[in-house]
Amino acid sequence: MEVRLPDESSFSRRSVGSALAAAALSTALVAPGIVVPAYARVASAALVAFGVVLAVRATASAVVAFVRRSPPTAPEPPLPAATVVVTAYNEAEVLPATVDACAALDYPDDRLEILVGYESASTDGTAAVAEAAADRDPRVVAVERDRPPGGKASATNHALASASGEIVAVLDADQRPEPGALRRAVRWFRDDDVACVKGRCFGTNPDASMVALCATVERAVAERAEFYARDLLGGFALFTGGQAFFRADALAREGTFDESILLEDLDMAYRLQRAGGEIRVDPGIVTHETNPAAIAAWWHQRKRWARGGMQVARRYLGANLLFGPPSSLARADFAATLGALLAFPILALASPLAAVAWGLTPGGRPFGLAALVAGGFVLATPLVASYLVLAVDARDGRRHERSEYVAPLLLWPYFLLQAGAVVAAFVDEFVVRRPAVYVTSASGSDGE
């Protein structure tokens, strides 16, 4: 898969082509509503219903986040051998802090291995950082990948080939683990059914830019509430490629991360659970992350995540979900999650139908009181969910910057911008069918 930096994937004729395709598709969806008012009203009702379902889920997840859960007791010594894999491509600015955090893990030296897998194509001194870390600490091994960059999956697979631990942690170069993260993750593996443990990525640069501020709060809600609730309630548990811990033999059974897909973590999450493994989500396992501060890096990251999810949906949504493992609830949740991802860009492109319905209705009131109340609930949900998560963190002693308490008021413009990235991903994947390109969210200053 071709890999580019955000600076190499800016505005282009291909972007114009995608925008024109999106405009044409939106016109095709909206135009019938001008001729058939009932179509506009039904489509508008579908938009409200979709928003209500997402809002109920987000609010419920934020409430569930107040539930505490602890891992099993620590295993008897000796602790299992553990390998921490850090992958880096043009990450010289953030990599030193991550390697230092890994070296400071509260874990026996003779049971800890740290592999820093770096791309030889890095041009910002990443190789020097990795090699210097290996020279300085005998637990650190620098693993060079001397091939053209192939994306996160390729980098991870290359580094994993050198891993020797029974437990393997995979981290992005901007994910700095807290000292107790590995010990706590290992406790979950006392359950033989657990194949993967996912902790919480905690944003640390909300004041870097407006987009970093909104991303930090958005990620707080997803990481502390949404992902945790999925696991706690028996839904389809996810892990993100930025931070995850694996039982090494479970990875060996499932094979390598898929290098042909943009969201290899979601693909592996499905494969592990399909094989009968379980994924535990524990927000007490924390890594500190750096969110993209530049709009271009953020845009490409979110577009990559969206298109990767669509690729997973194309691959796995089908009759095979009628049978387990995992449980029927987890399979239904998986189908609903990916179904919503596919429906969202279509509904976004059709959203002008709400204005059409309003304009074509005598008196300008196409929606009843119930619909207006539902719309208000949807609009209020980002604030409610965000402040609930901030309250959970306050209870647990997790400090946030003052700006993060203001950020929920800014989330709707942020979500509208993010909707554009999802629509662009949909157009590339299903309309123009453009070959996938892995655009990193790191240009030397932003995390992958």
Side-chain angles (χ1 to χ4, degrees), residues 394-426:
R395 180 201 68 182
D396 295 341
R398 289 278 167 197
R399 180 183 175 276
H400 288 269
E401 299 296 332
R402 291 182 179 179
S403 57
E404 294 177 68
Y405 292 90
V406 179
L409 302 173
L410 309 173
L411 286 180
W412 271 112
Y414 172 84
F415 288 153
L416 290 175
L417 185 60
Q418 187 158 248
V422 177
V423 168
F426 180 84

Side-chain angles (χ1 to χ4, degrees), residues 199-275:
R200 176 186 181 180
C201 303
F202 192 94
T204 58
N205 64 325
D207 295 330
S209 70
M210 193 67 71
V211 91
L213 172 61
C214 291
T216 298
V217 173
E218 175 210 22
R219 291 276 288 163
V221 174
E223 294 277 331
R224 184 61 184 87
E226 166 69 11
F227 291 168
Y228 181 49
R230 283 175 177 273
D231 178 29
L232 205 62
L233 299 178
F236 182 78
L238 303 175
F239 69 85
T240 59
Q243 176 240 79
F245 303 78
F246 301 93
R247 194 185 298 276
D249 58 6
L251 280 182
R253 285 193 300 270
E254 287 309 306
T256 58
F257 285 91
D258 193 324
E259 299 180 11
S260 68
I261 203 165
L262 290 170
L263 206 59
E264 75 290 334
D265 46 7
L266 179 58
D267 175 80
M268 182 59 80
Y270 175 83
R271 287 159 56 192
L272 288 173
Q273 291 173 87
R274 192 67 178 166

